Amino acid sequence: MSAYTLFSGVERPNRGQAGTESQNGDDVRIALLYLLFAAIATLTNLLAQAAVVRMLDGTWAVAAGVLAGTIAGLSVKYVLDRRYIFRYRSKSLSGNLRTVVMYTLFSVVTTVIFWGFEFGFDWIFGTEAARYTGAVIGLGIGYAAKYQLDRRYTFVEREG
């Protein structure tokens, strides 16, 4: 799936021109921003993981690091996605709450993908480098799926 295919058809309010050239340019800009934000969130995730793993010792150090990294990366990605990718503004407190809940639930689903790759690579290869490689692959796949879920279900206004 190309970046254009992944990010085409995004409904973005107040963009003006309806021509395909403008829409295609917008799709490319959104795709590039999304990839940049995914990289920022991934780096945040991995740095948080590394910090926690180095601070803790014992059986649960890696699991605690992965959890801390996931929370840090998710928080950064939510703020960036909401503001710059979807340009979403809720009209009510309940709409805001619904958006956060949907974003978090879809994040849990895609986090299973991410963790599957990260822990799978750790189990198969048994090295820190392999674990982080699995994390990057899992995050990439997870972010692609997450974008589609958020575009269709999370950052949309509902009546009532």
Side-chain angles (χ1 to χ4, degrees):
M1 176 181 287
S2 71
Y4 175 75
T5 304
L6 180 64
F7 295 98
S8 64
V10 178
E11 293 183 29
R12 291 174 295 277
N14 303 323
R15 293 295 177 115
Q17 300 170 327
T20 35
E21 186 177 310
S22 176
Q23 181 65 41
N24 290 347
D26 232 16
D27 291 340
V28 170
R29 187 183 69 73
I30 292 297
L32 292 174
L33 279 176
Y34 195 82
L35 293 172
L36 174 65
F37 297 161
I40 290 168
T42 299
L43 183 61
T44 301
N45 182 311
L46 296 177
L47 288 172
Q49 278 190 53
V52 170
V53 166
R54 280 164 182 62
M55 285 189 297
L56 299 178
D57 202 16
T59 307
W60 295 101
V62 170
V66 170
L67 180 61
T70 300
I71 291 168
L74 184 140
S75 300
V76 166
K77 190 77 168 71
Y78 174 77
V79 170
L80 294 172
D81 282 354
R82 180 183 170 122
R83 176 147 170 87
Y84 298 105
I85 300 299
F86 298 103
R87 295 185 178 185
Y88 182 79
R89 292 185 188 166
S90 181
K91 295 177 181 164
S92 67
L93 182 59
S94 64
N96 233 359
L97 181 60
R98 183 198 136 301
T99 302
V100 170
V101 168
M102 292 291 290
Y103 194 89
T104 302
L105 288 175
F106 287 140
S107 294
V108 168
V109 170
T110 58
T111 295
V112 170
I113 295 167
F114 151 54
W115 281 355
F117 275 87
E118 182 166 11
F119 287 123
F121 273 51
D122 188 48
W123 181 72
I124 292 167
F125 301 107
T127 66
E128 183 179 42
R131 186 175 75 243
Y132 289 136
T133 299
V136 169
I137 293 168
L139 284 167
I141 293 168
Y143 282 139
K146 182 88 169 59
Y147 173 82
Q148 291 298 324
L149 292 168
D150 287 338
R151 178 174 74 89
R152 291 186 173 113
Y153 305 109
T154 303
F155 293 105
V156 294
E157 277 300 325
R158 303 257 194 281
E159 303 236 354

